[in-house]
Amino acid sequence: MGNVVVVGAQWGDEGKGKIVDRLTEQADVVVRFHGGANAGHTLVAQGRKLVLHLVPAGVLHPGKVCLIGNGVVIDPAALCAEIDACRALGALDGDGRLLVDGGAHVTLPWHRRLDVLREQRAGAARIGTTGRGIGPTYEDKAGRRGVRVRDLCDPVRLRARIAERLPEANARIEALGGGPLDAEEVIAELLPHAGRIAPLRADGSLFLARAIAAGKSILFEGAQGTLLDVDHGSYPFVTSSSCVAGSAAAGSGVGPGALGTILGVAKAYTTRVGEGPFPTELPGEAGDRLRALGTEYGATTGRPRRCGWQDTCVLRFAARVNGLHGLVLTKLDVLSSFPAIPVAVAHDLDGERVTDLCADAELLSRAKPVYEELPGWRAPLTGIRREADLPREARRYVERIAELSGVPVVAVSVGPDRAETIALGPPFR
């Protein structure tokens, strides 16, 4: 297969976990390269369901190595709970199956508390974070006051780091109306998890360099989506890390030349969680229907997702900033009951028709979708495994998305199980 990067081409929740799980059959190593426990990647294989937040989505495949890269921020309690959930399903069944880069930063109790307090203080101006402490962890990383996995795994260094960092963190908490944290309680919470994570610690960059030199195939797993990227997304309604394909290099410690094929994952329609602009959002009953058909509730928070039609302005933007070689459309089966399916081909921005997305949140909030209507299909798609067996209208829908996005569609998903994927092109066939 060669090396492959999988990224979200919309506002997250596109089904990346399933696609990574499916491609892991051809890979040797799967790497998460950014984000934290705010991600929610749901896997379904042979009747087994697993929701992952930190562990890479290749975990259900025996013999594959899963690496959490240096660009990820790790909540120790969440990671240990996830390891237990994986082992309960028979995954992570051998030593060396899961590695954690020592340079990854740690989400600490004060990060979670700051996240919640800030959202409460913001009121109507809130961003809509998951409350998992991801933003404050990345702030401390950028501010050079972070605690890393290599610190967590050394009790002496951990005590020193907590003593150095906690007074300033408590000052920020108290300024927001919260109660201060106690250093000994923080350390007592962290140490049991640190003892479990320490044997997993690795130099991720060195491990990947040796794997690539040995001819092994690396699958880089992105989280969230392109329009949530801290640089290129609908700022400030974004996450706190870089979600685009270029981040795979920095977040795992390989050179950009090692990234290989770039795949974007997009739903056949569009969803968004949290605040921020969403031009094709369907209000009221129409959006509720799409949400019900797609079971659109966040895997991490359980929050109902905002739902709307496909927006090819978004897909073209994602193709440009990621350098997409292929597109995977998920949840095509959800659209089966609609007699006609609108697709946004442009935006009306203050009376001007534009086809190139402007990610400026203030401008995007004024954009109105310009729709092209495609014929729907009534036949269910769940049992279909070959492109030729798709209804003619469904095939035309997929072809039109490829034409409008400028990116070939290399696979479509017609259900949550790994097997419910129709291969259309490489690397799927």
Side-chain angles (χ1 to χ4, degrees):
M1 180 178 71
N3 297 342
V4 175
V5 182
V6 176
V7 293
Q10 296 164 315
W11 275 282
D13 305 307
E14 300 97 345
K16 297 179 294 297
K18 173 190 170 171
I19 301 308
V20 170
D21 172 61
R22 173 70 165 71
L23 289 172
T24 299
E25 297 169 358
Q26 306 174 65
D28 298 298
V29 181
V30 184
V31 187
R32 261 287 301 275
F33 59 85
H34 75 102
N38 53 342
H41 292 178
T42 302
L43 312 183
V44 181
Q46 299 176 335
R48 297 187 299 174
K49 180 178 179 179
L50 181 63
V51 179
L52 299 172
H53 304 281
L54 288 163
V55 174
V59 68
L60 292 181
H61 292 264
K64 310 294 184 175
V65 177
C66 294
L67 168 66
I68 301 176
N70 59 275
V72 179
V73 295
I74 296 171
D75 184 319
L79 177 57
C80 289
E82 202 165 307
I83 291 171
D84 290 340
C86 290
R87 288 180 173 157
L89 287 177
L92 293 179
D93 51 354
D95 293 339
R97 286 286 321 283
L98 178 64
L99 303 175
V100 180
D101 194 293
H105 280 248
V106 178
T107 296
L108 297 161
W110 60 77
H111 295 134
R112 294 191 298 272
R113 185 168 295 187
L114 282 167
D115 203 358
V116 172
L117 287 169
R118 285 173 176 173
E119 284 286 273
Q120 291 173 346
R121 174 69 66 90
R126 64 188 180 277
I127 299 297
T129 76
T130 61
R132 301 296 178 95
I134 309 304
T137 309
Y138 276 113
E139 287 177 33
D140 279 358
K141 175 181 178 177
R144 294 166 294 182
R145 53 180 178 266
V147 175
R148 300 199 286 183
V149 166
R150 60 175 60 102
D151 302 317
L152 175 74
C153 295
D154 182 328
V156 174
R157 284 171 66 168
L158 179 62
R159 278 190 176 275
R161 297 294 181 269
I162 298 301
E164 293 167 2
R165 311 302 192 233
L166 187 56
E168 182 181 351
N170 273 337
R172 287 185 282 161
I173 289 170
E174 290 179 291
L176 291 167
L181 297 171
D182 178 78
E184 290 304 317
E185 290 178 2
V186 169
I187 292 168
E189 177 184 330
L190 293 172
L191 284 177
H193 306 307
R196 295 185 62 188
I197 293 171
L200 311 177
R201 188 178 59 169
D203 182 333
S205 176
L206 181 60
F207 174 83
L208 291 175
R210 289 173 173 171
I212 292 169
K216 295 186 181 295
S217 178
I218 315 298
L219 182 56
F220 299 90
E221 176 185 359
Q224 288 85 44
T226 297
L227 269 294
L228 294 177
D229 183 273
V230 70
D231 290 303
H232 303 289
S234 52
Y235 190 92
F237 302 101
V238 294
T239 192
S240 299
S241 63
S242 178
C243 309
V244 296
S247 177
S252 61
V254 303
L259 298 184
T261 300
I262 314 297
L263 295 182
V265 183
K267 281 177 181 162
Y269 49 99
T270 310
T271 65
R272 178 168 193 165
V273 172
E275 309 303 317
F278 182 0
T280 62
E281 183 173 12
L282 290 171
E285 185 178 341
D288 292 343
R289 182 185 176 197
L290 201 52
R291 183 180 305 110
L293 289 169
T295 319
E296 294 295 352
Y297 297 90
T300 298
T301 64
R303 288 183 294 182
R305 296 178 183 134
R306 299 158 62 191
C307 298
W309 300 121
Q310 184 62 267
D311 191 336
T312 59
C313 296
V314 168
L315 298 184
R316 286 191 294 274
F317 178 82
R320 171 159 52 88
V321 298
N322 289 291
L324 296 182
H325 297 111
L327 194 62
V328 180
L329 280 185
T330 62
K331 291 197 170 185
L332 185 65
D333 53 303
V334 172
L335 298 180
S336 293
S337 64
F338 294 92
I341 305 171
V343 173
V345 297
H347 290 163
D348 182 320
L349 184 57
D350 300 332
E352 179 185 359
R353 180 185 172 113
V354 295
T355 56
D356 293 317
L357 180 81
C358 176
D360 184 309
E362 292 187 20
L363 293 179
L364 195 57
S365 66
R366 303 203 303 269
K368 307 298 181 186
V370 178
Y371 285 120
E372 173 182 307
E373 197 167 85
L374 297 175
W377 57 93
R378 294 289 189 174
L381 307 183
T382 304
I384 295 175
R385 298 293 178 271
R386 299 190 312 148
E387 179 184 7
D389 295 331
L390 286 169
R392 178 173 54 84
E393 296 82 2
R395 293 199 305 272
R396 178 56 187 150
Y397 184 84
V398 173
E399 291 166 358
R400 188 62 177 141
I401 297 303
E403 291 168 357
L404 290 166
S405 66
V407 183
V409 176
V410 296
V412 296
S413 172
V414 294
D417 193 276
R418 138 191 333 160
E420 295 174 313
T421 307
I422 301 171
L424 304 179
F428 290 87
R429 70 177 188 195

